[in-house]
Amino acid sequence: MIVLGVESSCDETGLALYDTQRGLLAHALYSQVAMHEQYGGVVPELASRDHIRRAIPLLEQVLEKGGVIPNNIDAIAYTQGPGLAGALLVGASVACSLALALEKPVLGVHHLEGHLLSPLLSRNPPEFPFIALLVSGGHTQLMRVDGVGQYQLLGETLDDAAGEAFDKSAKLLGLGYPGGPAISRMAEFGDPLAYKLPRPMLHSKDLNFSFSGLKTAVLTVVKNHPATICDQDKANIARGFVDAIVDVLTAKCVTALKESGLKRLVIAGGVGANKQLRASLNEVALKRRFKVYYPELEFCTDNGAMIAFAGAMRLQINPDAAQRNYAFNVRPRWPLDELRIA
Ligand code: KG4
Ligand code: ZN
């Protein structure tokens, strides 16, 4: 079965073809980062308009790269939510109109399920069950995953998401957008002893997170700085921030593994690309004898491959999950625990 995946929930247009027998055939991505950079964040209306411009050329690219003719596509999966309403509507309308024209079934996929399952696309995929840490621009959640569609939320952020904290703190330091990669690069040159920032909820007895206080701590340091912050001092603050957030994420993962008795940890979402987080998790994994799995770097951030894959997994379990009714709606807010395998 060949599934075409369409992702357009935020600022990346991603298309991909996944074959349940041969694996990923092709994927193509257009990132709007350069366009949004000058505004310091994603401008929803500009994002929607750009998805319209990119979707069809990317579709042509994946068909050519994958050597697939449109009629050989068996089903089309698109990100139905959560995300920006206008951006989601573009992907949904492209997917549904294409499905209508080709007379193929179509399926709305949960964006976070795409992220959660993305490590299964790698060369060395984890087996179920596992603990998943989902760390993206909009979400920070710890989940127990027993199979496709079997997700139990163990804890989540009470305020800002990890990626959001990276982006906002980077902005405070004047490091541009998206902040995650920028602050991470800067932190490499920072002195770990220069700024000791708070580790919110590190010792709370649950698996929840809170990052807005950490962002406020960065703001306070910046505000109290007597003069313009030189690059070395920026690097020191970045290092203080990264160390704090990585400590909290690592500690909560360890607690989730301990409490569940599981030995496999999967990291998904954009912040999963973070070098310092990976180093810290790899270190405790060795010490505590668990295994940690990451998606390939290109599938950490938003992409069409994870949507094609999640769609294919759902259809394998339940071929009736797709519909031939081409009216569509999107779900900008869509809690993952409302997701059931039909
Ligand atoms: O998963 P994703 O592409 O989009 C959402 O679904 O939100 O995640 C984007 C987030 C952004 O906040 C970005 O700053 C962060 O992931 N990010 C990183 C890194 N690469 C992306 N954060 C820290 N270190 C990175 N290397
Ligand atoms: Zn995402």
Side-chain angles (χ1 to χ4, degrees):
M1 172 174 55
I2 296 179
V3 178
L4 171 71
V6 183
E7 157 63 30
S8 71
S9 65
C10 191
D11 58 349
E12 259 113 18
T13 324
L15 277 92
L17 288 164
Y18 183 81
D19 184 338
T20 48
Q21 263 149 29
R22 290 181 291 160
L24 189 64
L25 301 180
H27 80 104
L29 188 76
Y30 183 84
S31 169
Q32 305 174 353
V33 161
M35 181 177 73
H36 297 295
E37 204 173 7
Q38 55 185 308
Y39 304 100
V42 178
V43 183
E45 180 59 23
L46 294 183
S48 313
R49 291 184 204 181
D50 207 55
H51 286 307
I52 297 173
R53 276 193 289 271
R54 309 295 169 189
I56 300 303
L58 289 175
L59 170 66
E60 286 166 349
Q61 263 184 47
V62 291
L63 289 171
E64 197 188 320
K65 262 202 256 174
V68 172
I69 55 164
N71 246 323
N72 287 350
I73 295 171
D74 295 297
I76 301 178
Y78 66 95
T79 305
Q80 193 173 16
L84 301 171
L88 289 166
L89 279 167
V90 177
S93 55
V94 167
C96 291
S97 46
L98 194 63
L100 170 68
L102 297 172
E103 296 180 17
K104 304 287 181 179
V106 66
L107 168 75
V109 165
H110 195 294
H111 181 79
L112 298 184
E113 181 171 46
H115 275 304
L116 265 189
L117 300 178
S118 63
L120 300 180
L121 276 168
S122 63
R123 274 180 294 270
N124 174 26
E127 280 172 31
F128 296 114
F130 53 75
I131 295 292
L133 172 71
L134 189 63
V135 267
S136 67
H139 294 84
T140 303
Q141 297 183 326
L142 267 166
M143 238 159 312
R144 180 188 165 110
V145 179
D146 285 287
V148 176
Q150 297 174 44
Y151 314 122
Q152 186 195 347
L153 184 65
L154 304 174
E156 63 185 332
T157 181
L158 305 178
D159 40 56
D160 290 356
E164 198 178 350
F166 267 99
D167 293 337
K168 287 179 176 169
S169 300
K171 200 170 179 177
L172 289 171
L173 293 173
L175 295 181
Y177 174 85
I183 206 167
S184 169
R185 272 193 303 274
M186 202 77 188
E188 288 186 53
F189 306 102
D191 173 359
L193 301 175
Y195 293 95
K196 185 92 178 156
L197 298 186
R199 274 111 173 107
M201 297 186 71
L202 182 63
H203 301 296
S204 70
K205 295 268 177 279
D206 55 21
L207 293 170
N208 290 329
F209 305 86
S210 164
F211 294 119
S212 76
L214 180 55
K215 168 201 67 194
T216 308
V218 174
L219 175 66
T220 308
V221 170
V222 170
K223 266 194 174 160
N224 291 342
H225 213 275
T228 346
I229 309 181
C230 67
D231 280 351
Q232 184 57 53
D233 222 17
K234 274 189 191 175
N236 294 345
I237 301 169
R239 178 66 188 262
F241 168 81
V242 172
D243 283 355
I245 204 162
V246 164
D247 271 4
V248 176
L249 291 172
T250 306
K252 299 274 171 173
C253 287
V254 170
T255 309
L257 287 163
K258 238 199 277 177
E259 288 180 357
S260 64
L262 298 182
K263 289 281 179 203
R264 283 183 287 267
L265 175 69
V266 160
I267 309 299
V271 181
N274 184 266
K275 233 177 162 175
Q276 291 91 345
L277 177 63
R278 288 184 175 215
S280 163
L281 290 170
N282 291 344
E283 195 186 318
V284 291
L286 261 179
K287 236 189 264 166
R288 295 182 173 266
R289 292 162 194 258
F290 63 82
K291 222 169 157 205
V292 52
Y293 298 81
Y294 307 95
E296 304 290 332
L297 267 181
E298 59 184 338
F299 300 139
C300 274
T301 45
D302 292 348
N303 63 86
M306 68 183 193
I307 301 303
F309 181 71
M313 292 301 101
R314 284 204 158 245
L315 289 171
Q316 273 190 325
I317 294 173
N318 176 15
D320 294 335
Q323 58 180 58
R324 283 176 188 270
N325 160 10
Y326 301 107
F328 57 86
N329 67 338
V330 293
R331 301 189 63 177
R333 288 178 191 279
W334 186 4
L336 190 65
D337 50 15
E338 279 180 17
L339 196 65
R340 295 276 169 269
I341 200 95

